[in-house]
Amino acid sequence: QLGPWVGEPFQTVDVDAKRYCNRLELGPLIVELAADWQVRDSTTWRVNFRTLQFTLFGLELPQISFPKGTAKTWCMTYTDADTRVVRAGADGGYSPSRDMGLYDKDQGLEKDAFVFFMTRAS
C-alpha cells in the first residue's frame, strides 16, 4: 500500500549481501525501496533505507536517496519456513515520513509500532 493506493507488493531479500528491495506494483506505476541492514541479534535487524525508485509506464524517474540515518528496527518472528511477522518502528532512527506530516510525530517511535505479515512467494 502506498497512501490510499493498494497494489501488488513483493520483497526480495539477499541475506548474504544484507540487502533487500520492496516493490509495489500499482498498474503502470512501480515503486521500489532499497535498503540494507545490520543484524542486532537472532530476531532483530536495524534496517537502513537507501533509495526510492519510481517507474511509470516503464520509464524510470530520477532515483530519490533517503537522508542519512533514515532507519527502523525490525523484530522478526518466524511461524514456519514460509511465514514471518515483522514488528517495526523508528527506535531512534530518522523518519522523513514523520517530518513530511504523513503521520503523527508521536506515531511509530517504538521498535514494534507497526506489524507486517509476510509469506514467501512460490
Side-chain angles (χ1 to χ4, degrees):
Q1 182 171 336
L2 181 63
W5 300 285
V6 177
E8 189 70 28
F10 298 94
Q11 183 178 69
T12 304
V13 178
D14 183 336
V15 174
D16 293 331
K18 296 183 180 173
R19 290 190 304 242
Y20 79 88
C21 177
N22 284 347
R23 179 181 173 109
L24 183 63
E25 298 179 5
L26 301 157
L29 176 64
I30 298 170
V31 182
E32 292 183 313
L33 179 144
D36 56 39
W37 73 83
Q38 292 88 39
V39 174
R40 284 193 170 166
D41 59 44
S42 63
T43 62
T44 309
W45 292 352
R46 184 60 171 176
V47 175
N48 306 294
F49 298 101
R50 300 300 181 195
T51 60
L52 197 58
Q53 178 70 58
F54 293 89
T55 303
L56 185 60
F57 294 106
L59 177 66
E60 284 189 354
L61 303 176
Q63 191 175 72
I64 299 168
S65 294
F66 283 96
K68 186 176 172 87
T70 303
K72 284 196 174 23
T73 295
W74 282 13
C75 304
M76 294 170 284
T77 302
Y78 295 88
T79 62
D80 59 36
D82 295 326
T83 308
R84 71 182 154 140
V85 177
V86 177
R87 299 168 329 279
D91 191 27
Y94 174 66
S95 173
S97 299
R98 186 175 292 105
D99 283 353
M100 292 186 306
L102 297 178
Y103 54 89
D104 188 77
K105 290 200 180 287
D106 296 327
Q107 185 179 10
L109 299 177
E110 299 299 321
K111 70 179 181 180
D112 59 355
F114 302 103
V115 177
F116 302 92
F117 180 79
M118 301 177 188
T119 57
R120 185 182 311 265
S122 52

